[in-house]
Amino acid sequence: MGGEDGEMIGKEKKRKLVAEAIEARKNSYCKYSGFAVGAALLTKGGNIYRGANVENASYGLTNCAERSAIFAAVSNGEKDFQAIAIVGAPAGEKATEICPPCGSCRQVMAEFADPEKFLVLLGTEGGECKELLLKELLPYSFGL
Ligand code: THU
């Protein structure tokens, strides 16, 4: 079941991944922008890595939630991913609108994921969830 290349992930797994991103968002360190983002990355083996945005007084050093999750996974020996859920909104507010990933995070996803298969779940706390393949978010991505 689930986790194999090319296999769709089920509704319950998607719901769980969004719930993990909502939890991850609670760890956002966003004292400069006041915008809190959480991400949850699902590996092909079924593990989930959480990430939050981590800001810095030197603004350009900020790390987005998606990249935090991907770097955490890669740092722990994982490189095969099925999907990522992202939830973002002003800190202290409920996430009612979807939060699409920035261009840098899309490129980092493309480094490790198959754009034809990697699923990006743009979740909210209201139950809405937009699903996109990475190829839809980043067509003609750069690669070597
Ligand atoms: N942010 C993310 O974490 N992910 C994105 O894809 C877009 C932006 C963060 C970076 C910064 O801490 C805050 O949101 C406002 O830009």
Side-chain angles (χ1 to χ4, degrees), residues 41-64:
L41 180 68
L42 179 66
T43 70
K44 287 185 181 170
N47 292 328
I48 293 174
Y49 289 84
R50 292 181 183 177
N53 56 329
V54 182
E55 299 187 347
N56 192 277
S58 178
Y59 300 165
L61 300 183
T62 291
N63 209 51
C64 290

Side-chain angles (χ1 to χ4, degrees), residues 9 13-25 37-43 48-52 64-67 69-70 81-88 99-101 109 118-124 128-132 137:
I9 67 168
K13 242 181 207 169
K14 290 175 186 169
R15 193 205 55 74
K16 160 88 174 151
L17 205 57
V18 172
E20 290 276 343
I22 290 168
E23 279 306 303
R25 184 173 167 253
V37 185
L41 180 68
L42 179 66
T43 70
I48 293 174
Y49 289 84
R50 292 181 183 177
C64 290
E66 301 89 323
R67 278 178 286 152
I70 293 166
F81 307 125
Q82 295 190 69
I84 192 168
I86 306 161
V87 176
C99 174
M109 288 176 202
F118 186 70
L119 196 58
V120 181
L121 304 174
L122 307 178
T124 65
E128 186 199 349
C129 183
K130 188 168 178 61
E131 299 182 21
L132 293 155
L137 285 167

